[in-house]
Amino acid sequence: MRQRVVRVAVVAALVAVVLLAVPLALAIRSALYADQRDTLERAALAGAVRVSPDYASGDPVELPAPPAGGHLGLYDPQGRLRSGSGPAAADTPVHRALGGEAVRASSGSDLAVAVPVSHAEQVIGVVRASSPATVVRDRVFLTWAALLGVAVVALAVAVLVARRQARALATPLEDLSRHCRAVAEGDLGARAAPSRIAEIDQVARTHNEMLHSLSELLRHERDFAANASHQLRTPLAGLQLTLESGLEQHDDARLRPALAEALATTRRLHDTVEEVLRLSTSRAALGPRPADRLLGQVLRAVEERWHGPFARVGRRFACLARELPDNLSVPGAPVTEILDILLDNARVHGRGTVRLVVRDLDDALAFDVTDEGEVPGTAARLFDRGHSGGGPGTGIGLDLARDLAFSLGGRLSLTGSVPTTFTLLVPVGRDETVDGTA
């Protein structure tokens, strides 16, 4: 911004100098030439008053001194030089002055003024004054050089003033930019400092007010998530203890599978609450998620959990993971939660066989969840919170899954509309302790 301000100021000053200096330079040139011709005319008039009517009969004429570096001479009606200095024969200005009018003209490389001398209403001679045009030209060039120097000084002053003004304008904006970067990095307590520029102060005040409102909104949301999770933890913990106690105390073969499934569901619900609570914290506090579970364990648990729900509605679920190393590990809880959301979405909104295919991309894993249905409406709105595609549901699951994927440093996207395919990309770690190489 500073360079732009300086550039604009210099261009404006340059345009102003050019618009002022060029006409002024032309006016100075015209004035200097006119002044020199006035000087020559005064010298010629001074010589004309000293000419006696009897000069033609031999009366000597005493002309004044000629202009500096020039000539002053008296010519008779026949164009002969009778006194003073100048061309031996009359030139054009002298011939024109014999008509009875003073003449200003150029003669070769000289400026010349010819003044007629009259007696008894007759022109009896002409006094010619001249000076080299180079004398005036040199004065013009010297004046132009001085004018150019003044213009350069004016531009230099304009640059200095522009740099100072640019610094005064840019410094508060740079401070505001640094403040915005700090806010973007998670420092919601940062506030823009006031400056001495009213317009920028207004922007800073508006920004601070917006940031305060945003901070309050985020605080209320975090408090709500923390309160909700806290209130859910206690009954979930009690339910989990009750189910564990029931498994230990009951030997009924018909009751134990139901208790075990209820306990597993309770544990998943507890993990979901913890994951949602973690997402409600600031992004800076999240930190990287550790890869704490082997991929094979995650896939087996998912397959065991979802085989039954799909079978009960007459649909087939297949989990395929070919040629994957045994030492791949992933963040277990969030990956499981995302896959559960995608599989439940396929169960509710899709049809036909559902496949979970895992592909190794060296530095990441791709989880493809495909069913035999198609995406209705606008695919871009699938991840909008509250959009359920016209079917049952709250429209929160896919948005939550995308946020969970983002918290892992991965990405969730719709990669196929017919058939419907969602792809989850997750950075992976390789557990060297699995194959004994550690």
Side-chain angles (χ1 to χ4, degrees):
M1 177 180 177
R2 298 190 182 194
Q3 293 181 352
R4 289 195 187 98
V5 173
V6 172
R7 190 159 51 243
V8 169
V10 170
V11 170
L14 184 60
V15 171
V17 166
V18 170
L19 292 178
L20 178 64
V22 171
L24 181 60
L26 295 177
I28 289 175
R29 178 182 181 276
S30 177
L32 290 178
Y33 274 93
D35 181 68
Q36 182 65 18
R37 289 189 175 95
D38 289 342
T39 300
L40 294 176
E41 186 172 357
R42 287 193 297 270
L45 289 174
V49 299
R50 296 190 181 187
V51 176
S52 170
D54 299 330
Y55 81 92
S57 59
D59 187 15
V61 178
E62 296 182 359
L63 296 175
H71 303 280
L72 183 64
L74 173 62
Y75 292 81
D76 60 18
Q78 288 74 34
R80 294 173 298 185
L81 178 63
R82 301 297 299 268
S83 180
S85 60
D91 55 6
T92 301
V94 173
H95 288 296
R96 291 174 55 191
L98 289 173
E101 294 183 358
V103 176
R104 294 185 175 191
S106 297
S107 177
S109 60
D110 293 341
L111 297 178
V113 174
V115 175
V117 178
S118 300
H119 178 70
E121 297 182 357
Q122 292 183 354
V123 177
I124 61 174
V126 173
V127 176
R128 176 185 180 276
S130 66
S131 65
T134 55
V135 175
V136 183
R137 191 178 303 120
D138 291 343
R139 291 175 60 192
V140 170
F141 287 158
L142 287 176
T143 306
W144 282 0
L147 184 62
L148 179 61
V150 172
V152 170
V153 171
L155 287 176
V157 172
V159 169
L160 294 177
V161 173
R163 288 173 63 89
R164 182 175 179 179
Q165 289 299 110
R167 183 167 56 252
L169 289 173
T171 298
L173 291 177
E174 291 169 354
D175 293 340
L176 185 59
S177 176
R178 284 192 294 269
H179 158 73
C180 292
R181 283 197 298 269
V183 172
E185 293 170 359
D187 184 10
L188 297 182
R191 292 294 183 271
S195 65
R196 292 176 293 179
I197 302 175
E199 292 80 2
I200 298 179
D201 286 345
Q202 180 62 37
V203 173
R205 283 193 298 270
T206 304
H207 180 80
N208 288 340
E209 292 171 0
M210 177 193 68
L211 185 58
H212 176 73
S213 300
L214 180 61
S215 301
E216 287 298 309
L217 178 61
L218 292 177
R219 183 180 64 82
H220 287 308
E221 289 186 352
R222 286 195 298 267
D223 291 346
F224 172 78
N227 294 336
S229 62
H230 179 270
Q231 294 303 108
L232 287 173
R233 280 172 176 169
T234 300
L236 283 176
L239 180 59
Q240 185 174 340
L241 290 174
T242 301
L243 292 174
E244 290 175 352
S245 176
L247 280 174
E248 293 175 357
Q249 296 176 6
H250 291 81
D251 296 331
D252 190 341
R254 294 175 299 175
L255 185 59
R256 288 184 64 84
L259 291 174
E261 183 177 353
L263 180 59
T265 302
T266 304
R267 288 172 177 167
R268 289 198 304 272
L269 181 57
H270 180 271
D271 292 340
T272 299
V273 170
E274 293 295 328
E275 204 60 37
V276 172
L277 177 61
R278 185 175 182 274
L279 281 177
S280 69
T281 60
S282 65
R283 185 178 301 176
L286 286 176
R289 289 301 303 266
D292 52 4
R293 292 183 63 186
L294 292 175
L295 176 63
Q297 298 174 352
V298 173
L299 294 180
R300 282 192 297 272
V302 170
E303 187 172 15
E304 292 173 1
R305 186 163 58 255
W306 284 98
H307 178 76
F310 281 107
R312 283 193 290 271
V313 295
R315 297 171 63 185
R316 180 171 173 266
F317 172 59
C319 183
L320 306 175
R322 301 189 182 95
E323 300 180 357
L324 293 179
D326 296 332
N327 62 342
L328 288 176
S329 57
V330 295
V335 170
T336 300
E337 184 68 26
I338 296 171
L339 293 178
D340 285 346
I341 292 174
L342 294 178
L343 292 172
D344 185 64
N345 187 72
R347 180 183 64 84
V348 175
H349 299 283
R351 65 173 184 264
T353 300
V354 177
R355 292 180 175 84
L356 169 60
V357 180
V358 185
R359 296 176 287 125
D360 186 7
L361 304 180
D362 293 333
D363 57 347
L365 284 176
F367 297 81
D368 299 320
V369 177
T370 306
D371 63 67
E372 297 177 359
E374 61 182 66
V375 176
T378 305
R381 295 193 58 199
L382 284 177
F383 294 96
D384 292 346
R385 180 170 289 264
H387 177 73
S388 61
T394 61
I396 296 178
L398 288 177
D399 181 70
L400 174 60
R402 182 179 59 179
D403 290 343
L404 287 170
F406 183 75
S407 71
L408 298 176
R411 185 174 72 251
L412 175 63
S413 58
L414 177 69
T415 54
S417 298
V418 182
T420 303
T421 302
F422 288 91
T423 299
L424 168 66
L425 296 179
V426 178
V428 297
R430 300 181 185 269
D431 190 353
E432 301 295 341
T433 61
V434 172
D435 56 8
T437 59

